[in-house]
RNA sequence: GCCGGAGUGGCGGAAUGGCAGACGCACCAGACUCAAAAUCUGGCGAGGGCAACCUCGUGUGGGUUCGACUCCCACCUCCGGCACCA
């Protein structure tokens, strides 16, 4: 007898059943009723913990629910398999990255299966395999041809621990590396970039179309793109005092406050300003300037960017303000960034806090050009810069304008006069994709002494990673030392040439994998346009909030670029995005809450839990823990509760197994129902309604599961037995069957088993989701709350058809209410049908 | 500083402007048991009252409303993003 709930046995059984019967294999040739349910593919780090599990469990529950709703669901899975950890491990242990990665994949695949998560494994992609990275390289070449991949010498982020450069997105605000935690250094290196800045405006504009994305993510991307409207103004360089000529005679700057330009009293260049050295060369100030630049260069990004102290020196040069014709001094200052704007700033100390601090420190002149609405600003009484709006003053013919109106007029003036004009500036920088590491997709370029930089011909792809390399902690990519890889011939002239030794950032691999799932085994082309146009954008994308900027921005960029190549007809990859919250757990070491990590000693691994309670319990608890978009604290005691509930359902089915089977031909009939079964029947249909709404909306599994629990409590209120009426037995049967169906997306193994036990053929996945019987929701008597001045004072039962007047008179006659209105005047009676009566008394 | 989100019992959390605290966890009491586990029943915001019941209570202060956890205004705290970005 199976009253013990043998979870291990049934879980193995059903996992095998789903797999053998291909229940998650989806034919994508047709787009009818399609539902592309995508979970972010994992990096194969070794093992998954219950925090990772949340992602896959949510996705699996969604997929199962949609399938029962009759949709054809595509849920593929793959591996973001290139990456530094495997290479670092190789240096330590000698195990080649390929081997350790494939091992980890095997382990993690098993873990996903043990959770009961089902995928169409025929579509599995592994980004470190040549059949995948061949196409990553192909896409690189396509981008190169469109001018979207280029190489340039630039000050880049260097991670001294991982010995590679990083993209801006991979450096945390405190100046440390996102992955290794190392203090990032600046280095001048020649590197490969993707020109994502060409797409800045489209990436920003299209955010507005993403209704199915969380506000939070959209706002993060908006911040990251950082559009700001302003003006470009070219200041003229005053000729050198010694009469020597300058290479450049103009110093352009960007400002969002061109309205303050008549208050500009000096100009400041970034220490990295390219012409700086040449500007001061031979002048008495040159030595001081060079010393200053050197000092600034030694400071880390963090020291440079801590607000507060601003340092600078005078260059000995002057520039002319094109609006006033006035000559103002040119300084170098460490608060000016070369990466933003033009690396030159017009300083208006009266109306900018940074310029104010700098002018005060170096005793530079301050001039008012915006007056506040009260006309009360007086320069000698000002303690700080006035940065608010106001009226333009002392600014030639612009004086008297409200400053917001002055901005476009003054920018237009610059354009008319030919010394500038309105411009839009973005914070977003181009995406640095070169990595000086082995374990990534090689950049398919060749350097020839005669022909220069030559792309690898498409027919020669993939550029394979060599296997015979040594991993040494030398800080140099093994590819650089691998002669058989580096040495090649020029595709153009056939002479000896060298291969590029940099590999691509792994975010390149993950920027297009969701296209590849549609044609994972296709060795003719990267992307199957027809299938992609049919099945994309992804209907539901599920993943962690940590990818809000990096992965999700890059994938959007790729989609737009691939669209522009004419390969796909859509421009946004993910219609709906769901970002689940992290699972945290208190650390035994310091009692603080952290996301699960080995170093904090707070990792909960699923194996022991699955062994003790079963996968369904772990799934149910993970979904019940709280709203899935929020962070949640793992609590072992809660797992016990989920287990108790599943066991209770199991027991109810087996206690009444014969009764349930025999009632198979009985159908609930509203006409003959006695109150107890009528109540349960209503509760059942209310539950179907609520649960369906929860799943169609924000995936609030926690409330859906709570509703099933309530329904089970109601089931126990109906004392069912073999002697019960056919009507009661019919309702009981429909209710228990529905419970099994309703819980199946969350706890699929037990549901399949019980479904079969109830006399149905498998699989529950091919059974339609229960539908609401509207008639069952009807009540002929409704309880109404009676309020006096908004406070509950009693309650009455009224007929469903009772009219306002009847309800009103019954409410007034109620003894509880009488107590509170006695001797007072009822000024107003509000009747909310079906809910309450509120009496406003004086 | 700017942008986004959140503040509700001992805990996780629930509530289209209409009974605050659903559901679960923990805890308490009882039933079953020789006993334990499991299971079942009941209780469980604070204060007052023998009780019926009353008062207070959703971060703070105002407002709108017959009625506010929910809407508006101002603030406090926490979390996340951006930030010497001109």
């Amino acid at each position: 007898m199976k009253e013990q709930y043998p979870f291990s046995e049934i879980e193995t059984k059903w996992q095998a059943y789903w797999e053998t019967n291909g229940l998650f294999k989806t034919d994508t040739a047709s787009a009818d009723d399609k539902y592309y349910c995508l979970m972010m593919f994992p990096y194969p780090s070794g093992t998954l913990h219950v925090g990772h599990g949340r992602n896959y469990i949510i996705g699996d529950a969604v997929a199962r629910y949609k399938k029962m709703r009759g949709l054809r669901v595509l849920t593929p899975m793959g591996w973001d398999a290139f990456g530094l950890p495997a290479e670092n491990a190789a240096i330590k242990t000698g195990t080649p990255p390929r081997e350790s990665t494939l091992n980890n994949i095997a382990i993690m695949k098993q873990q996903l299966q043990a959770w009961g998560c089902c995928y169409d494994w025929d579509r599995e992609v592994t980004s470190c395999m040549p059949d995948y990275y061949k196409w990553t390289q192909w896409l690189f070449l396509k981008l190169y041809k469109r001018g979207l991949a280029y190489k340039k010498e630039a000050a880049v982020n260097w991670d001294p621990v991982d010995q590679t450069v990083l993209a801006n997105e991979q450096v945390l605000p405190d100046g440390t590396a996102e992955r290794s935690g190392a203090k990032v250094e600046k280095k001048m290196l020649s590197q490969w970039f993707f020109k994502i800045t060409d797409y800045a405006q489209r990436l920003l504009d299209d955010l507005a179309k993403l209704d199915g994305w969380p506000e939070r993510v959209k706002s993060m991307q908006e911040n990251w793109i950082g559009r700001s409207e302003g003006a470009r103004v070219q200041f003229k360089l005053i000729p050198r005092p010694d009469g020597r000529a300058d290479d450049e005679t103009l110093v352009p700057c960007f400002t969002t406050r061109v309205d303050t330009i008549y208050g500009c009293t000096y100009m400041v260049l970034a220490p990295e300003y390219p012409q700086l050295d040449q500007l001061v060369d031979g002048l008495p100030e040159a030595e001081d300037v060079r010393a200053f630049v050197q000092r600034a260069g030694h400071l880390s990004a963090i020291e440079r960017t801590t607000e507060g102290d601003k340092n600078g020196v005078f260059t000995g040069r002057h520039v002319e303000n094109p609006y006033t014709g006035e000559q103002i001094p040119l300084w170098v200052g460490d608060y000016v960034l070369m990466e933003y704007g033009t690396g030159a700033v017009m300083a208006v100390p009266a109306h900018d806090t940074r310029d104010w601090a700098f002018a005060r420190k170096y005793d530079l002149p301050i001039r008012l050009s915006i007056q506040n609405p009260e006309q009360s600003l007086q320069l000698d009484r000002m303690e700080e810069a006035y940065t608010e709006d106001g009226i333009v003053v002392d600014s030639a013919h612009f004086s008297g304008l409200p400053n917001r109106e002055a901005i476009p007029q003054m920018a237009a003036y610059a354009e008319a006069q030919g010394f500038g004009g309105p411009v839009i500036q973005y914070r977003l920088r181009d995406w640095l994709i070169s990595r000086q590491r082995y374990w990534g997709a090689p950049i398919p370029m060749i350097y020839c002494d005669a022909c220069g930089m030559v792309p690898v011909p498409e027919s020669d792809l993939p550029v394979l990673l060599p296997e015979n390399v040594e991993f040494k902690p030398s800080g140099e990519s093994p590819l650089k030392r691998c002669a058989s890889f580096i040495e090649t011939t020029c595709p153009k002239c056939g002479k000896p040439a060298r291969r590029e030794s940099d590999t691509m950032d792994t975010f390149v691999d993950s920027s297009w994998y969701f296209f590849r799932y549609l044609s994972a085994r296709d060795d003719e082309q990267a992307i199957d346009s027809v299938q992609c146009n049919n099945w994309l954008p992804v209907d539901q994308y599920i993943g962690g909030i940590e990818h809000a900027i990096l992965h999700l921005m890059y994938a959007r960029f790729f989609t737009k670029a691939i669209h522009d190549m004419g390969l796909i007809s859509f421009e946004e990859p993910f219609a709906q995005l769901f970002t689940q919250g992290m699972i945290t757990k208190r650390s035994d070491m310091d009692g603080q809450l952290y996301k699960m990590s080995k170093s904090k000693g707070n990792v909960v691994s699923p194996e022991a839990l699955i062994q003790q309670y079963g996968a369904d319990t772990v799934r149910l608890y993970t979904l019940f823990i709280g709203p899935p978009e929020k962070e949640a604290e793992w609590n072992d005691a809660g797992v016990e509760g989920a287990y108790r509930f599943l066991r209770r359902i199991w027991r109810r089915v087996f206690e009444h197994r014969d009764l349930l089977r025999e009632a198979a031909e009985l159908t609930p009939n509203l006409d003959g129902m006695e109150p107890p079964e009528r109540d349960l029947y209503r509760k059942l249909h209310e539950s179907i309604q609520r649960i369906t709404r929860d799943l169609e909306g924000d995936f609030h599994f926690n409330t859906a599961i709570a509703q099933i629990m309530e329904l089970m409590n109601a089931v126990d209120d109906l004392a069912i037995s073999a002697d019960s009426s056919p009507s009661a037995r019919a309702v009981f049967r429909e209710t228990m069957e529905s419970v099994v169906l309703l819980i199946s997306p969350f706890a699929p193994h037990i549901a399949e088993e019980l479904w079969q036990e109830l006399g149905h053929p498998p699989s529950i996945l091919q059974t339609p989701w229960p539908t609401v019987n509207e008639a069952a929701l009807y009540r002929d008597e409704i309880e109404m709350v009676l309020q006096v001045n908004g406070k509950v004072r009693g309650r009455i039962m009224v007929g469903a058809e009772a009219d306002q007047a009847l309800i009103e008179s019954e409410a007034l006659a109620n003894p509880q209410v009488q107590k509170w209105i006695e001797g007072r005047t009822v000024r107003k009676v509000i009747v909310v049908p079906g809910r309450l009566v509120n009496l406003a008394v004086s």
Side-chain angles (χ1 to χ4, degrees), chain A residues 8-164:
Chain A
S8 295
E9 199 181 298
I10 64 172
E11 286 177 3
T12 329
K13 168 180 161 189
W14 289 106
Q15 282 160 20
Y17 180 88
W18 298 322
E19 189 57 33
T20 344
N21 290 277
L23 280 160
F24 283 85
K25 303 264 179 277
T26 307
D27 175 14
T28 50
S30 126
D32 297 340
D33 302 316
K34 68 110 181 169
Y35 190 83
Y36 190 172
C37 179
L38 180 69
M39 281 142 264
M40 289 183 185
F41 70 162
Y43 173 75
S45 57
T47 52
L48 297 167
H49 56 63
V50 294
H52 299 123
R54 198 180 199 189
N55 186 222
Y56 310 108
I57 293 167
I58 289 171
D60 192 62
V62 171
R64 286 172 186 274
Y65 166 71
K66 294 290 180 186
K67 204 168 163 63
M68 291 175 79
R69 290 298 303 247
L71 294 170
R72 293 196 306 122
V73 177
L74 174 66
T75 46
M77 185 46 69
W79 312 97
D80 188 10
F82 273 133
L84 292 187
E87 187 173 347
N88 291 345
I91 292 167
K92 247 190 206 162
T93 66
T95 314
R98 187 189 144 91
E99 191 182 322
S100 62
T101 302
L102 295 181
N103 270 339
N104 287 347
I105 288 174
I107 295 167
M108 285 169 62
K109 199 166 174 178
Q110 207 148 35
Q111 282 189 302
L112 290 174
Q113 272 159 343
W115 259 313
C117 294
C118 287
Y119 305 100
D120 185 346
W121 286 111
D122 290 350
R123 299 172 183 276
E124 181 176 7
V125 300
T126 307
S127 67
C128 68
M129 301 304 275
D131 67 347
Y132 185 89
Y133 72 71
K134 169 181 179 178
W135 301 112
T136 307
Q137 292 171 335
W138 182 83
L139 283 165
F140 176 95
L141 292 176
K142 286 284 167 210
L143 292 170
Y144 178 75
K145 280 188 192 125
R146 300 182 67 82
L148 291 171
Y150 67 95
K151 198 175 191 187
K152 76 166 178 196
E153 174 99 4
V156 296
N157 305 301
W158 176 258
D159 181 333
V161 169
D162 278 338
Q163 294 283 331
T164 185

